[in-house]
Amino acid sequence: TKELKTAMQLDGKNLTYLKDLGTSYYLAGDCQSTLAVFDLVAKTETPAAGPWFIRALCYDKLNQPKPALDAYQKFLDLDQGKNADQVWQAQERSKVLRKMLEHKR
């Protein structure tokens, strides 16, 4: 996207810019661009629980159950119960996604 290219030209190593851009994309409902930005950030630093949760939501919206399930699991592994609402949501969606994937086999 144009915004991502501009951010990279301005200061491609500034993770704050990239993270803010990823958040903006997510809030605008642009899951593809959100994931692209998160992939760039992940090349420089290991994602924490929060970005994994947002990744899971994006994959879920894009109807990609396997990557969504994997991202929810990463979130649950890293969060360790600190964000009860998101943990509950991740657990419940994981159950649904597992069933979806089992039926596809």
Side-chain angles (χ1 to χ4, degrees), residues 64-104:
Q64 297 179 25
K66 179 67 173 118
L69 180 58
D70 293 344
Y72 281 126
Q73 191 55 57
K74 276 286 218 187
F75 163 75
L76 290 168
D77 291 345
L78 293 169
D79 187 73
Q80 299 177 339
K82 294 176 191 153
N83 297 286
D85 290 345
Q86 286 79 16
V87 166
W88 179 85
Q89 184 178 352
Q91 289 170 336
E92 294 304 306
R93 280 303 295 159
S94 293
K95 290 176 192 174
V96 171
L97 292 169
R98 276 190 199 94
K99 287 180 182 177
M100 286 174 57
L101 289 168
E102 286 172 10
H103 288 351
K104 283 188 175 182

Side-chain angles (χ1 to χ4, degrees), residues 36-53:
V37 170
F38 280 19
D39 287 345
L40 282 174
V41 172
K43 290 179 182 178
T44 306
E45 74 177 24
T46 303
W52 280 111
F53 186 74

